[in-house]
Structures are given as structure tokens and as C-alpha cells.
Amino acid sequence: SLHKKLVILGYIGLYGTLFFMALSGLTLVFHESLALSKEFTNTIKEIHELMFNLVLLFVVLHVVGVVVAEIRDEPGIISSMVHGRNIP
């Protein structure tokens, strides 16, 4: 279904964002050892912060999606997450 495809794309995007954040974070920490210019380091920092904001947006959208699913068509989904078992 379209929903499942969007969910898969969302998670691929999230993992890509987290991977980029890890690399850019390491680059920011080791910018002197890598002999990066101050301009380039600032650009990486700006993009790193933008990616962090995208992760925050994903978290908010995820929580909203879970609440909507609980209300609409998957009652008990939150209880299942909390208790770790499937509640009919």
C-alpha cells in the first residue's frame, strides 16, 4: 500500500540522515586534523544542525502517527509498545 511505501521511504530517510549526522559530527570534531577550512567547517555545522531538526520533525510526526493509528484503526498499539506484547 502507499502508506507502507511511505513508511519505508521515511525510515530510509531517517537512517540516511542519522548516518550523515554521524559523519558530519566526526568531521566537526576532527576538522583540525583533517585540515578543513573554517568556511567548510561552518557549512558542515549548518547542515548538521538542519539534519538534527529533520530528526526532531521525524520524532514528532512518528508520535502523531502512532496516536492517530491508536484512535483510528489500531487500538491497543500504544499498550503493545509499552508492555511489549500484542494485545487484541
Side-chain angles (χ1 to χ4, degrees):
S1 71
L2 177 63
H3 176 259
K4 297 243 185 237
K5 289 178 184 176
L6 290 175
V7 168
I8 290 170
L9 286 175
Y11 276 104
I12 289 171
L14 174 68
Y15 294 137
T17 300
L18 292 175
F19 180 74
F20 176 81
M21 284 189 68
L23 286 179
S24 62
L26 288 170
T27 302
L28 291 171
V29 169
F30 297 111
H31 71 278
E32 291 175 356
S33 300
L34 296 170
L36 298 176
S37 69
K38 188 168 182 149
E39 263 184 35
F40 187 65
T41 303
N42 285 337
T43 301
I44 291 174
K45 182 179 178 187
E46 292 294 323
I47 296 171
H48 184 83
E49 290 173 357
L50 174 67
M51 293 294 127
F52 175 73
N53 289 329
L54 289 176
V55 171
L56 288 179
L57 176 64
F58 176 83
V59 169
V60 170
L61 290 176
H62 186 77
V63 170
V64 169
V66 168
V67 171
V68 168
E70 174 79 29
I71 293 169
R72 283 191 181 169
D73 56 353
E74 294 185 55
I77 190 171
I78 296 175
S79 296
S80 296
M81 287 181 198
V82 171
H83 299 295
R85 60 181 180 270
N86 202 2
I87 298 174

